[in-house]
Amino acid sequence: MKTTLRLLLLGSSLGLFAAGAQGSTLEQIQRSGEFRFCFESGYMPFEMTDKGGDFIGFDIDIAKAMARSVNVKFVPVNTGWDGIIPALQTNKCDLILGMTVTPERNLSVNFADPYFDAGQTVLIRPALADGIDSYRQLNDENYTVTAQLGTTGEYAIKRHLGRAKVRLFESSADAAQEVANGRADAFVYDISYNAVYAAQNPGRLVHLDQAFTYGPLGWAVRKGDGDFLNFLNNYLRQIREDGSYDRLYHKWFKSDAWLARVQ
């Protein structure tokens, strides 16, 4: 009897596994002819909205190329950051672009191999530049530090700047603007975003550009989809080896020609 029960349970488990495989994300993409990418526009220079209302950026270009590689339509799904993991989990998109890999997030999603290191740096108001040259000096109750809610900037503040006053905002732009306008002392976020934002606001912010955390960006997918992860890791390996990644990196990180499209 016990043997029969084990066989029944094993058969049931295999059936569930087969059903999951039939409903894999890759097969869903192929059936629908659409590859849906979740992101939050405003994360420079990864995902932005240009003056004409089109989505542009490093991640957007990679996503469009990824969709072309399997002959399906690129579908952007611009989503508020605080709801982006639920959007993936409820099948509103197939993949999240540009998410920093953390143990906490890994409880809810799976990540492909990291494709970019976006460690945390600090933007400070110019009046502090003569006395502050390290994030450590901001770990003081006399300083007010800002970040975007739910980002690795918020996590970094909690871990490294626990004594400072903290103000959180719905968008990174609002959090950084608070410092540029002199209403806060420092803003914590990814090095790539801070470098671009400082360049866009000369004289209003000083970038302490030594990253103080490791910030691996990865593509997030629903848990348990090994076929999709295999596809993503192989795709990343291919674009790194064929020069596509380097060409896009140069376009978005070595050149500022794109700034005119968003300013």
Side-chain angles (χ1 to χ4, degrees):
M1 187 68 172
K2 291 181 179 179
T3 302
T4 302
L5 180 59
R6 289 194 190 100
L7 288 173
L8 286 171
L9 290 173
L10 178 59
S12 176
S13 298
L14 290 173
L16 289 171
F17 177 81
Q22 290 173 358
S24 71
T25 304
L26 279 178
E27 291 186 352
Q28 177 180 301
I29 289 168
Q30 290 174 305
R31 285 195 303 269
S32 67
E34 295 183 341
F35 203 150
R36 303 165 302 161
F37 297 87
C38 268
F39 59 90
E40 182 186 46
S41 182
Y43 181 39
M44 301 180 296
F46 292 87
E47 304 114 9
M48 301 168 287
T49 305
D50 70 9
K51 295 175 182 177
D54 295 322
F55 297 118
I56 63 171
F58 181 66
D59 279 347
I60 301 297
D61 279 357
I62 289 179
K64 287 180 176 178
M66 191 186 299
R68 285 195 302 271
S69 74
V70 289
N71 301 309
V72 295
K73 180 182 178 182
F74 161 79
V75 178
V77 184
N78 189 18
T79 307
W81 193 252
D82 58 347
I84 205 163
I85 288 180
L88 175 69
Q89 292 172 328
T90 55
N91 199 32
K92 292 181 173 65
C93 62
D94 303 310
L95 177 154
I96 297 174
L97 294 169
M99 176 169 274
T100 305
V101 181
T102 68
E104 182 180 358
R105 287 172 177 166
N106 225 157
L107 297 175
S108 303
V109 298
N110 287 160
F111 286 98
D113 292 341
Y115 68 97
F116 196 95
D117 182 4
Q120 303 298 290
T121 61
V122 182
L123 296 176
I124 62 173
R125 55 188 179 89
L128 299 178
D130 288 340
I132 292 180
D133 58 13
S134 167
Y135 75 94
R136 292 185 179 89
Q137 295 164 277
L138 295 166
N139 191 25
D140 188 297
E141 62 184 10
N142 293 315
Y143 295 115
T144 298
V145 184
T146 69
Q148 182 183 0
L149 182 69
T151 64
T152 45
E154 180 188 355
Y155 302 152
I157 290 173
K158 289 179 178 177
R159 182 173 181 181
H160 299 281
L161 302 174
R163 296 177 183 172
K165 297 185 182 73
V166 182
R167 295 176 61 194
L168 301 176
F169 293 80
E170 289 295 326
S171 76
S172 52
D174 288 342
Q177 192 67 25
E178 197 73 358
V179 180
N181 289 338
R183 294 192 290 264
D185 299 305
F187 167 68
V188 178
Y189 203 27
D190 298 352
I191 185 171
S192 52
Y193 182 96
N194 284 351
V196 173
Y197 199 90
Q200 288 182 306
N201 293 271
R204 302 180 67 201
L205 294 159
V206 173
H207 188 198
L208 305 183
D209 60 1
Q210 185 66 42
F212 63 93
T213 67
Y214 171 52
L217 290 186
W219 299 318
V221 302
R222 285 181 287 276
K223 292 182 73 66
D225 198 340
D227 284 347
F228 197 22
L229 286 176
N230 180 64
F231 166 81
L232 293 172
N233 287 335
N234 282 325
Y235 182 78
L236 176 59
R237 188 176 299 112
Q238 180 173 338
I239 63 173
R240 285 192 184 280
E241 293 298 325
D242 69 14
S244 302
Y245 183 97
D246 288 341
R247 285 192 294 272
L248 292 177
Y249 184 90
H250 188 276
K251 174 182 176 181
W252 294 104
F253 294 97
K254 297 296 185 180
S255 170
D256 62 0
W258 57 268
L259 280 171
R261 296 180 61 184
V262 296
Q263 286 182 327

